[in-house]
Amino acid sequence: MTRLLLAALSLMMSFSALAATPWGAWQQVGRATLSWGPFEVYHSQLLTPDGKYQTGKWPQALVIEYLRSIDHQELTKATEEQWQALGILAEAQKNGWPDAVQNTWPDVSNGSEIVFVATEKGGQFYSQPANSVLSTPVGRPFSPAFRDAFLAIWLSPATQYPDLRSKLTGASASD
């Protein structure tokens, strides 16, 4: 009887944790898939409370669902490459962001998610392993400067992926 009660309590806590995600009831602004040659790397979606994107209006959530396994070192390297392309890698390195990212992010696998929730105060990463319904915060919250630099990878007019940006911000049809 005690095991049954503990299992029920655990299940109830799991559902309340899922419902408690800040972005859980937000609306999708747009959705896009990043492909590298013939391979799909991830699906991404941008969420806001009202389903509309406006630069500098918070909160926002960038949800990335990975479609293949990638270790956190490769994710960090890809982030640095995007910051380099945007011309902000020197600022990122000066602020220690590549190391912070590498120490925060988990390895990902097909079906796992990393969510970045951006607010006026900065941003927080969340991780959801494949085949799980629970998203948990990972690492410490980041500053507004990091928030802007991280989101610029997808949302800046200077992004290396303008089609992705267009779909995520709702300027063109989503995937």
Side-chain angles (χ1 to χ4, degrees):
M1 181 67 169
T2 303
R3 277 195 234 170
L4 182 60
L5 186 57
L6 286 174
L9 182 60
S10 176
L11 186 60
M12 287 183 346
M13 290 175 65
S14 295
F15 284 120
S16 66
L18 178 63
T21 60
W23 65 94
W26 295 356
Q27 297 176 34
Q28 180 176 285
V29 176
R31 180 176 175 82
T33 299
L34 177 72
S35 297
W36 190 259
F39 304 104
E40 290 186 339
V41 181
Y42 61 72
H43 297 303
S44 55
Q45 60 179 318
L46 184 63
L47 306 171
T48 65
D50 64 2
K52 294 177 175 63
Y53 173 73
Q54 184 177 355
T55 303
K57 183 178 178 193
W58 314 112
Q60 302 173 8
L62 178 68
V63 180
I64 302 174
E65 177 192 354
Y66 290 89
L67 304 174
R68 61 188 208 98
S69 295
I70 308 170
D71 67 40
H72 66 280
Q73 290 95 348
E74 284 298 314
L75 292 173
T76 302
K77 180 181 173 189
T79 300
E80 288 180 277
E81 289 169 357
Q82 292 305 308
W83 282 337
Q84 175 70 37
L86 289 166
I88 56 177
L89 182 57
E91 176 188 0
Q93 290 171 328
K94 179 180 141 198
N95 288 303
W97 296 338
D99 290 336
V101 163
Q102 183 164 320
N103 293 329
T104 298
W105 287 342
D107 296 339
V108 297
S109 60
N110 186 5
S112 63
E113 290 183 354
I114 292 179
V115 179
F116 185 69
V117 177
T119 66
E120 288 183 23
K121 295 181 180 181
Q124 174 71 54
F125 286 104
Y126 293 80
S127 175
Q128 181 176 323
N131 302 315
S132 175
V133 296
L134 296 177
S135 292
T136 57
V138 290
R140 297 178 181 207
F142 284 87
S143 69
F146 176 90
R147 172 202 65 209
D148 296 345
F150 184 73
L151 290 177
I153 295 169
W154 292 270
L155 303 179
S156 167
T159 182
Q160 296 293 296
Y161 304 108
D163 186 50
L164 223 67
R165 177 187 187 273
S166 183
K167 290 177 180 176
L168 285 172
T169 60
S172 68
S174 296
D175 288 346

